[in-house]
């Protein structure tokens, strides 16, 4: 007796049903498979977008290092060990990404003011300027893409994305 809401996915019309109807309910299975298909496509596109975003920062920048740069910009100066933990990557991968970012003058290693023996990684002015410009262009493109969406649909996506992110 769950509520049904119609949703479109490609050419397939699917009914999104209440969880109380059970995981094995045929309509729920169809809906879950549609979500899985769309997420797979989203992740493939996200990898492709990472390639272009990294190239916009610097043509030599590895796509994976773009995420590291963005994290450093958002979190502020961090120790390498903190980056490893936050990114969930192994130390050698993060070290290689930091080395590339330093070489491209997008980040700098600086002394930790609380512990002179430790080093922090912070974004440089060049890195901050490039990232700020990129984010503004990306925001503009998203606004253009979403211009055909209703405010209600956009609000629904904004409401559901945090749930998806928590789950993943």
């Amino acid at each position: 007796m769950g509520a049904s809401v119609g949703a479109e996915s490609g050419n397939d019309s699917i009914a999104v049903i209440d969880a109380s109807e059970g995981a094995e309910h045929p309509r729920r299975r169809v809906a879950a498979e549609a979500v899985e298909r769309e997420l797979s496509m989203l992740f493939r596109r996200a990898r492709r977008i990472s390639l272009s975003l990294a190239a916009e920062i610097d043509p030599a920048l590895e796509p994976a290092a773009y995420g590291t740069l963005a994290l450093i910009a958002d979190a502020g100066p961090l120790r390498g060990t903190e980056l490893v933990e936050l990114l969930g990557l192994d130390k050698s991968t993060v070290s290689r990404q930091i080395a590339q970012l330093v070489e491209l003058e997008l980040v700098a290693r600086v002394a930790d003011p609380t512990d002179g023996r430790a080093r922090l990684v912070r974004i440089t002015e060049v890195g901050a300027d490039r990232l700020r410009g990129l984010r503004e262009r990306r925001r503009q493109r998203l606004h253009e893409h979403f211009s055909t969406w209703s405010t209600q649909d956009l609000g629904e996506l904004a409401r559901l994305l945090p749930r998806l992110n928590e789950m993943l």
Side-chain angles (χ1 to χ4, degrees), residues 21 60 62 65 96 100 105 115 118 129 146 155:
E21 292 196 40
E62 290 180 28
R96 187 175 59 252
Q100 184 188 37
E105 299 179 355
D115 180 355
D129 287 345
F146 285 126

Side-chain angles (χ1 to χ4, degrees), residues 11 13 23 28-29 42 55 63 65-66 72 89 98 124 129 150 156 160-162:
N11 293 331
S13 179
R28 186 171 179 82
R29 207 170 327 117
L42 178 67
Y66 165 75
I72 294 166
L89 300 172
I98 291 170
T124 62
D129 287 345
S150 72
E156 186 69 3
L160 292 172
L161 277 176

Side-chain angles (χ1 to χ4, degrees), residues 62 64-65 67-69 71-72 78-102 107 109 121:
E62 290 180 28
T68 303
L69 176 67
L71 178 59
I72 294 166
L78 296 165
R79 290 183 180 192
T81 54
E82 293 172 311
L83 278 167
V84 166
E85 186 177 316
L86 290 169
L87 291 167
L89 300 172
D90 64 83
K91 187 177 178 179
S92 64
T93 300
V94 173
S95 195
R96 187 175 59 252
Q97 289 176 0
I98 291 170
Q100 184 188 37
L101 292 168
V102 168
V107 302
R109 290 185 179 100
V121 181

Side-chain angles (χ1 to χ4, degrees), residues 104-167:
L104 295 173
E105 299 179 355
L106 301 171
V107 302
R109 290 185 179 100
V110 296
D112 183 339
T114 63
D115 180 355
R117 299 167 297 163
R119 307 285 284 168
L120 298 175
V121 181
R122 67 160 180 79
I123 195 160
T124 62
E125 195 171 314
V126 169
D129 287 345
R130 289 186 190 176
L131 189 59
R132 191 173 21 263
L134 171 67
R135 285 177 168 173
E136 182 55 37
R137 290 187 301 277
R138 187 179 67 195
R139 211 175 333 292
Q140 269 184 303
R141 285 190 298 258
L142 279 174
H143 284 287
E144 290 168 11
H145 290 306
F146 285 126
S147 68
T148 60
W149 285 41
S150 72
T151 302
Q152 181 179 351
D153 286 348
L154 196 55
E156 186 69 3
L157 179 63
R159 185 183 72 76
L160 292 172
L161 277 176
R163 287 178 63 189
L164 178 63
N165 279 325
E166 284 177 25
M167 186 179 74

